[in-house]
Amino acid sequence: MSFDAVIDVKNVSKRFGGLRAVNDCSLRVERGSITGLIGPNGAGKSTLFNLVAGNIVPDSGQIIFDGQDVTGLKPHQLFHRGMLRTFQIAHEFSNMTALENLMMVPSGQPGESLVRTWLMPGVIKDAERHVRQKALDVIDFLKLGHVKHELAGNLSGGQKKLLELGRTMMVDAKVVLLDEVAAGVNRTLLQDLAANIERMNQELGYTFFVIEHDMDLIGRLCDPVIVMAQGEKIAEGPMSEIRANPEIIEAYFGAPVEAA
């Protein structure tokens, strides 16, 4: 598979007072990849993720998304262009079913207009039927059929994470930023979660950019893995090479493994 960059970070820097959190950092997330981002505490990973997601604005440099300069755009603007960060999508509506939660995701539905509801009931019904069918297809893909009519608030932590993945599928994201996706998920459901991320990537062509504490999960899912230290990218490659790199062992793996 030939790749091109869906995210291209070019010489980006960000300072907070006297602390330079990201220092002239450049990296690429190739279309169709599952790219991991790791590094020791204080490496600048979370700041870089926030810069890419539009939560903060860089002091210098550019962020290119899908060939367009999106530096300084807000998260909701990036959402409508197809960049989703999992926690940026509203948390589940606890008193609605899993199916209803998925049906709430697409924006601009004709039923949102009171006038259309009065004047175009046929259009409204057709649109709702389409959204419902798509939600059912997503539920089938994620193997959540047994809980589709369960209130979302009653789902386990792992099932909620799967539902969150499902919400990204309702809007056909070009790239999904996964931030600590394994947090609060038991080992059994984590395997299901990882398998679904792999299926979304391999069968549906989703691109993922991942920060994660769990190095086993990073090793399973991600190629390439990008390593940051002191606000800079210091290495990139498959996990087998990353683990064997003396510079990384000194900067990262010489201490207890964390990827905050």
Side-chain angles (χ1 to χ4, degrees), residues 148-256:
K148 66 184 175 186
H149 296 308
E150 183 68 53
L151 294 180
N154 295 337
L155 301 182
S156 70
Q159 289 168 338
K160 288 179 180 180
K161 289 291 177 73
L162 284 171
L163 187 62
E164 197 168 7
L165 273 183
R167 286 199 292 268
T168 72
M169 296 174 68
M170 291 298 295
V171 290
D172 298 323
K174 294 176 183 175
V175 62
V176 179
L177 308 183
L178 294 179
D179 197 347
E180 307 293 356
V181 69
V185 180
N186 69 46
R187 302 307 299 181
T188 300
L189 275 174
L190 184 56
Q191 297 307 308
D192 292 342
L193 191 61
N196 278 293
I197 292 169
E198 289 171 331
R199 290 180 64 217
M200 288 172 68
N201 173 253
Q202 295 164 10
E203 298 176 22
L204 303 178
Y206 276 71
T207 302
F208 291 94
F209 191 24
V210 184
I211 289 181
E212 179 53 56
H213 278 89
D214 190 319
M215 291 296 101
D216 290 335
L217 185 63
I218 286 283
R220 170 178 172 171
L221 291 177
C222 300
D223 186 8
V225 177
I226 297 170
V227 186
M228 287 185 69
Q230 298 181 334
E232 301 176 358
K233 171 184 162 182
I234 63 169
E236 177 177 350
M239 196 60 165
S240 58
E241 292 181 9
I242 295 300
R243 288 188 184 276
N245 186 316
E247 183 182 4
I248 298 167
I249 292 171
E250 179 182 354
Y252 190 114
F253 292 109

Side-chain angles (χ1 to χ4, degrees), residues 25-128:
C25 184
S26 297
L27 57 83
R28 291 160 59 95
V29 175
E30 306 292 353
R31 196 182 308 275
S33 72
I34 305 179
T35 298
L37 182 64
I38 67 173
N41 287 330
K45 304 177 304 300
S46 295
T47 300
L48 182 71
F49 232 53
N50 283 325
L51 290 165
V52 170
N55 297 101
I56 54 178
V57 179
D59 298 328
S60 59
Q62 288 181 299
I63 297 168
I64 308 298
F65 173 56
D66 203 25
Q68 301 293 317
D69 188 343
V70 296
T71 311
L73 291 190
K74 302 297 184 185
H76 71 274
Q77 295 172 304
L78 294 172
F79 178 95
H80 290 296
R81 289 176 180 239
M83 183 193 295
L84 279 70
R85 188 173 186 173
T86 47
F87 72 67
Q88 130 188 15
I89 301 170
H91 292 298
E92 74 278 352
F93 295 99
S94 299
N95 294 320
M96 299 177 70
T97 67
L99 178 62
E100 290 167 340
N101 266 265
L102 293 181
M103 292 178 65
M104 289 289 291
V105 174
S107 60
Q109 297 184 51
E112 295 173 7
S113 166
L114 186 59
V115 173
R116 287 186 180 182
T117 302
W118 288 338
L119 301 181
M120 305 170 66
V123 172
I124 304 300
K125 282 195 172 184
D126 286 345
E128 287 181 353

Side-chain angles (χ1 to χ4, degrees), residues 9-14 22-25 51 58 60-63:
V9 176
K10 296 185 174 183
N11 306 108
V12 164
S13 295
K14 182 64 181 180
V22 176
N23 183 27
D24 196 31
C25 184
L51 290 165
S60 59
Q62 288 181 299
I63 297 168

